[in-house]
Amino acid sequence: MTDRARDNAFLFRQPILNQKNELAGYELFLRRSGGGTDERGSGAALCAVYADLGMRSALGHRSAFIGIDAAFLHQEAIELLPHEGVVLELLLDGIPDKDLLGRCRTLCERGYSLALTDYRGIDDRSRPLLPIVDVIKIDVQMAGESQLRDLAGSLRRLPIKLLAQGVDSQEHLERCRKVGFQLFQGRYFAQAEIVSGRRLSASQTALIRLINLVGLDVDTPVIEDAFKHEPALTLNLLRVVNSVGHRGSRYAQPVTSLRQAITLLGRRQIQRWLSLLLLAPANGSADPSGSALLQVAALRGRMMELLVEATRVHDRKLSDLAFLAGVLSMMPLALGLPIEEILQQITVDRDLWTALCMHEGLLGTLLALLECFDGDDAAGCDQLLTQVTGGLNHHTLNTCLSAALRWLHENGA
């Protein structure tokens, strides 16, 4: 892929989760809408984009899975990638020869992790690679339950992690867990049954009530009183305020007053925090930041904010609304309710309602753009980019992704 073609490609990602439903990494790949082709094999271009966007620091402790074909595997440029934080996916069609196996061993000795894709059992293609690779990828869409069991069973005694690719439902996830998979690739966590009239839990109702109060900009004593009826949220708020650090603050001692915490954190941050809590796992996890859905929502919110800034629209209110639009757009998945019914219970700005329910206005267009971006829809992204004033392009979108991932990492998610 030429430099020009690379600049006109979208950097897409597919999340990879561990057994705790936490994000362990992403498979990264380039795709252009013009040719309608998948550029997963364009290792050189992908490596260049990875470096240009600073993806190593952006991803933090999470791994980037990058597809490498046999031709690029032998090039020295591959070693410009950091050996930590990168998994090289071997895209091999035929039986590996002596030179290829030697190159794989050299990369392993230099600290790189290797993954074998499209595994369909022990054969002449996979047998010589099994002592070398760290991860085996199996497409669950191409295998039934008994076949999955056989494939996983044949590898059980090897020090290899099994990655289930194409997991798009809870049923797929549970089936793969039972037979021994440790990693799961797909968007099954973003699948939910949306049912009109579904009853919300008491904790969800409490969060919505507080979001409503903050959105109405009522007096601080009213918000303080509402928090007092929710002891767990009060403790979490105090913990958040004290953990944020607020370095340089005139408060030398830990914040113990609820009113002080509300004032110090500010209405804008409280509204963001409460909205993200609404997406936290329903099991009351002590550390909801590990929730994949919550992280995707925070990432989309930050990308919305960055895209508004990139359009050169210098409007603080619009930036705030952009973050909330990104977060709230994930609430139907978290709550199992249509967005219209959720917004009947939360007071939001008219522009925000229009963006979420009708995809109209700048926020609505940007939200539709990110929905296409998250869905690997290059043609849809291209079409929507033409509708946004301010000169957004492929590079802008890819750069905003890197910046949002870095923000997510730096904020402890």
Side-chain angles (χ1 to χ4, degrees), residues 61 326 344:
H61 61 277
Q344 287 174 5

Side-chain angles (χ1 to χ4, degrees), residues 238 241-243 245-246 248-257 260-261 264:
L238 292 173
V241 172
N242 286 306
S243 66
H246 287 282
S249 169
R250 59 189 177 90
Y251 298 105
Q253 300 298 322
V255 176
T256 57
S257 161
Q260 189 184 50
L264 187 59

Side-chain angles (χ1 to χ4, degrees), residues 208 278 331-332 335 337-346:
I208 288 176
L278 197 52
M331 283 191 178
L335 305 182
L337 276 170
I339 188 64
E340 293 81 4
E341 293 188 22
I342 294 172
L343 295 184
Q344 287 174 5
Q345 304 176 61
I346 304 177

Side-chain angles (χ1 to χ4, degrees), residues 200-409:
L200 298 176
S201 68
S203 61
Q204 291 168 339
T205 302
L207 282 169
I208 288 176
R209 182 168 62 249
L210 282 165
I211 293 171
N212 215 347
L213 288 174
V214 176
L216 288 171
D217 201 25
V218 300
D219 293 336
T220 298
V222 178
I223 298 175
E224 181 184 10
D225 182 68
F227 266 103
K228 287 178 178 177
H229 287 84
E230 304 296 333
L233 281 176
T234 297
L235 288 173
N236 280 336
L237 176 62
L238 292 173
R239 187 181 298 117
V240 166
V241 172
N242 286 306
S243 66
V244 165
H246 287 282
R247 296 172 179 81
S249 169
R250 59 189 177 90
Y251 298 105
Q253 300 298 322
V255 176
T256 57
S257 161
L258 182 54
R259 184 170 302 189
Q260 189 184 50
I262 294 170
T263 302
L264 187 59
L265 192 59
R267 304 294 182 92
R268 174 173 174 258
Q269 291 301 326
I270 288 176
Q271 191 175 38
R272 290 186 174 199
W273 174 65
L274 291 171
S275 298
L276 288 171
L277 278 184
L278 197 52
L279 294 167
N283 58 13
S285 170
D287 182 18
S289 65
S291 162
L293 183 59
L294 186 148
Q295 291 187 26
V296 169
L299 183 68
R300 182 179 287 185
R302 181 58 178 155
M303 284 195 70
M304 285 285 293
E305 201 171 29
L306 291 170
L307 287 172
V308 165
E309 295 173 4
T311 61
R312 303 180 184 88
V313 177
H314 302 292
D315 187 329
R316 175 64 177 272
K317 179 184 176 183
L318 191 64
S319 294
D320 290 347
L321 289 178
F323 184 90
L324 284 176
V327 172
L328 292 175
S329 69
M330 303 299 293
M331 283 191 178
L333 298 174
L335 305 182
L337 276 170
I339 188 64
E340 293 81 4
E341 293 188 22
I342 294 172
L343 295 184
Q344 287 174 5
Q345 304 176 61
I346 304 177
T347 299
V348 298
D349 186 277
R350 177 65 186 177
D351 290 340
L352 186 54
W353 187 94
T354 302
L356 289 165
C357 296
M358 305 178 68
H359 284 128
E360 292 183 354
L362 176 60
L363 293 182
T365 303
L366 292 179
L367 184 57
L369 172 63
L370 288 188
E371 288 173 352
C372 287
F373 193 58
D374 289 345
D376 308 337
D377 180 0
C381 288
D382 268 335
Q383 181 180 4
L384 287 162
L385 280 173
T386 63
Q387 299 177 24
V388 181
T389 58
L392 297 189
N393 54 33
H394 301 69
H395 183 69
T396 306
L397 199 55
N398 294 340
T399 301
C400 285
L401 170 62
S402 175
L405 285 168
R406 184 175 295 106
W407 171 85
L408 201 64
H409 166 60

Side-chain angles (χ1 to χ4, degrees), residues 110-277:
R110 294 177 183 176
Y112 288 93
S113 295
L114 304 181
L116 178 61
T117 64
D118 196 29
Y119 178 78
R120 299 185 183 181
I122 299 177
D123 53 20
D124 291 341
R125 171 181 175 269
S126 63
R127 188 178 293 107
L129 290 166
L130 291 180
I132 304 174
V133 299
D134 302 279
V135 179
I136 292 287
K137 296 186 68 173
I138 299 175
D139 189 342
V140 300
Q141 302 283 347
M142 304 295 291
E145 186 170 358
S146 60
Q147 188 178 3
L148 277 180
R149 190 182 303 110
D150 292 341
L151 290 173
S154 64
L155 301 171
R156 190 163 296 158
R157 296 183 179 180
L158 297 177
I160 292 175
K161 287 186 177 180
L162 299 183
L163 189 157
Q165 182 179 1
V167 179
D168 60 7
S169 69
Q170 187 69 24
E171 180 184 358
H172 271 155
L173 173 65
E174 294 303 327
R175 182 191 308 165
C176 293
R177 276 179 173 164
K178 286 180 181 178
V179 299
F181 284 84
Q182 296 98 345
L183 297 171
F184 312 91
Q185 180 177 337
R187 291 193 174 83
Y188 67 91
F189 63 88
Q191 305 294 324
E193 181 185 6
I194 308 299
V195 179
S196 180
R198 186 193 298 270
R199 293 178 63 85
L200 298 176
S201 68
S203 61
Q204 291 168 339
T205 302
L207 282 169
I208 288 176
R209 182 168 62 249
L210 282 165
I211 293 171
N212 215 347
L213 288 174
V214 176
L216 288 171
D217 201 25
V218 300
D219 293 336
T220 298
V222 178
I223 298 175
E224 181 184 10
D225 182 68
F227 266 103
K228 287 178 178 177
H229 287 84
E230 304 296 333
L233 281 176
T234 297
L235 288 173
N236 280 336
L237 176 62
L238 292 173
R239 187 181 298 117
V240 166
V241 172
N242 286 306
S243 66
V244 165
H246 287 282
R247 296 172 179 81
S249 169
R250 59 189 177 90
Y251 298 105
Q253 300 298 322
V255 176
T256 57
S257 161
L258 182 54
R259 184 170 302 189
Q260 189 184 50
I262 294 170
T263 302
L264 187 59
L265 192 59
R267 304 294 182 92
R268 174 173 174 258
Q269 291 301 326
I270 288 176
Q271 191 175 38
R272 290 186 174 199
W273 174 65
L274 291 171
S275 298
L276 288 171
L277 278 184

Side-chain angles (χ1 to χ4, degrees), residues 2-175:
T2 64
D3 288 344
R4 182 177 179 182
R6 186 184 75 206
D7 291 339
N8 289 326
F10 295 103
L11 178 62
F12 287 142
R13 69 203 183 281
Q14 286 192 2
I16 296 173
L17 278 64
N18 61 23
Q19 291 176 316
K20 296 180 180 179
N21 278 13
E22 299 168 338
L23 277 169
Y26 295 95
E27 180 185 355
L28 303 179
F29 56 97
L30 296 174
R31 183 175 292 167
R32 291 175 292 143
S33 61
T37 58
D38 191 339
E39 305 293 348
R40 292 181 192 232
S42 301
L46 186 52
C47 290
V49 170
Y50 179 94
D52 291 345
L53 296 180
M55 294 300 292
R56 175 69 185 97
S57 61
L59 290 173
H61 61 277
R62 300 186 181 96
S63 298
F65 285 66
I66 296 178
I68 304 294
D69 59 20
F72 185 60
L73 188 69
H74 291 282
Q75 296 185 24
E76 292 184 2
I78 199 173
E79 295 185 48
L80 296 176
L81 290 170
H83 61 81
E84 293 182 350
V86 168
V87 178
L88 304 177
E89 293 191 352
L90 304 177
L91 307 176
L92 309 177
D93 295 325
I95 299 172
D97 58 25
K98 182 179 179 180
D99 288 342
L100 189 144
L101 292 173
R103 177 58 170 162
C104 288
R105 292 190 186 97
T106 298
L107 289 172
C108 288
E109 290 169 359
R110 294 177 183 176
Y112 288 93
S113 295
L114 304 181
L116 178 61
T117 64
D118 196 29
Y119 178 78
R120 299 185 183 181
I122 299 177
D123 53 20
D124 291 341
R125 171 181 175 269
S126 63
R127 188 178 293 107
L129 290 166
L130 291 180
I132 304 174
V133 299
D134 302 279
V135 179
I136 292 287
K137 296 186 68 173
I138 299 175
D139 189 342
V140 300
Q141 302 283 347
M142 304 295 291
E145 186 170 358
S146 60
Q147 188 178 3
L148 277 180
R149 190 182 303 110
D150 292 341
L151 290 173
S154 64
L155 301 171
R156 190 163 296 158
R157 296 183 179 180
L158 297 177
I160 292 175
K161 287 186 177 180
L162 299 183
L163 189 157
Q165 182 179 1
V167 179
D168 60 7
S169 69
Q170 187 69 24
E171 180 184 358
H172 271 155
L173 173 65
E174 294 303 327
R175 182 191 308 165

